[in-house]
Amino acid sequence: MRNLEIKKKIISETKALISQKRNVTIKDIADKCYMNIASVNYYFGSKELLIEQVVDEVIGQLKQEIIHLLEINQDKTKSELLEAMITYTYNFSLENIGLISYLFLNQDSSERAGNQLIETFFSNNSFTQMIYEKLNVEVKTIEPMVIYAKYMILFSSFAMPLFISIASNNTPLNSQIETFKNETFRQYFIKELLRLIEG
């Protein structure tokens, strides 16, 4: 197996582990990949650097999907566009709640990895500016604070499962977010977010 394939396997297995448990050790990762700890460190330098690469990959994929979503829905109505974005971020949050919880709740998570979601989605950068501009057109307002408030509501689906996870710190992740996986709840949640953003 070539070096690139080995690195991809390690990243993939690490993502899977983090989705299942809060406390992932370098030994857990090595065991899952059928290699020793020294081998994992050989490819990534440390567990912290490995986690950073995992997060970079997940965030990169999310950004690409959101940009793609905006492109393919550019002829849709405001409601249809916003619903598509909320639905995608909602589903992303559920699929990656283990990673999100790990980044915010684990003390051994590196500071950079823990800030990557915040830096990407809630700070002033080219990606958020692109979203602002799109929302500015869609909601027909030029008031920056209105746009920022609507933007924060739009991406609040990141926070909701995380808050549930924090509040239920002593129970398994899967049992904490069953409500969010319920299709009826999902529909109501998205409908109410749309109402807030469009209000």
Side-chain angles (χ1 to χ4, degrees):
M1 193 180 288
R2 292 177 298 181
N3 284 354
L4 185 58
E5 292 172 341
I6 293 171
K7 289 183 77 169
K8 284 182 177 179
K9 176 177 173 55
I10 295 171
I11 288 173
S12 175
E13 297 294 357
T14 303
K15 283 165 66 176
L17 279 168
I18 290 174
S19 72
Q20 296 163 8
K21 55 190 288 189
R22 278 202 186 97
N23 299 308
V24 176
T25 67
I26 191 71
K27 184 178 185 316
D28 292 332
I29 296 167
D31 290 346
K32 185 80 171 171
C33 296
Y34 301 102
M35 58 178 61
N36 58 42
I37 292 172
S39 296
V40 175
N41 285 332
Y42 169 79
Y43 288 104
F44 293 94
S46 68
K47 176 186 156 186
E48 289 71 27
L49 292 174
L50 168 57
I51 297 296
E52 286 180 14
Q53 287 204 28
V54 169
V55 175
D56 279 339
E57 185 175 291
V58 171
I59 289 177
Q61 178 187 357
L62 176 59
K63 288 170 68 175
Q64 286 179 351
E65 289 294 331
I66 289 174
I67 291 168
H68 178 67
L69 202 62
L70 289 171
E71 290 172 352
I72 65 173
N73 287 288
Q74 59 185 345
D75 297 327
K76 299 283 181 70
T77 66
K78 174 181 71 174
S79 292
E80 290 171 332
L81 172 63
L82 290 172
E83 183 173 357
M85 290 185 69
I86 291 170
T87 300
Y88 181 79
T89 55
Y90 185 103
N91 292 335
F92 173 88
S93 298
L94 287 180
E95 291 166 10
N96 293 278
I97 186 60
L99 176 64
I100 295 169
S101 297
Y102 182 90
L103 292 178
F104 286 99
L105 302 178
N106 250 31
Q107 292 184 344
D108 66 345
S109 176
S110 78
E111 185 176 340
R112 178 180 177 270
N115 288 331
Q116 280 170 281
L117 279 174
I118 299 296
E119 290 170 1
T120 301
F121 294 101
F122 300 105
S123 67
N124 190 13
N125 57 60
S126 59
F127 177 73
T128 56
Q129 282 300 319
M130 183 268 294
I131 300 291
Y132 289 167
E133 288 169 15
K134 186 62 179 175
L135 285 180
N136 193 29
V137 171
E138 291 299 328
V139 299
K140 304 295 188 288
T141 181
I142 56 171
E143 175 56 49
M145 288 305 243
V146 173
I147 295 298
Y148 188 63
K150 290 178 184 290
Y151 179 86
M152 293 295 279
I153 293 168
L154 177 64
F155 284 99
S156 68
S157 53
F158 279 130
M160 293 303 124
L162 176 62
F163 291 154
I164 295 294
S165 181
I166 292 171
S168 309
N169 205 17
N170 296 321
T171 58
L173 277 174
N174 287 341
S175 67
Q176 295 163 16
I177 57 173
E178 284 307 312
T179 299
F180 284 86
K181 292 181 179 178
N182 180 281
E183 189 55 39
T184 302
F185 176 83
R186 185 189 312 239
Q187 290 172 7
Y188 280 123
F189 185 83
I190 291 170
K191 179 182 175 182
E192 290 305 311
L193 277 184
L194 277 170
R195 185 177 62 79
L196 287 170
I197 294 171
E198 294 179 316

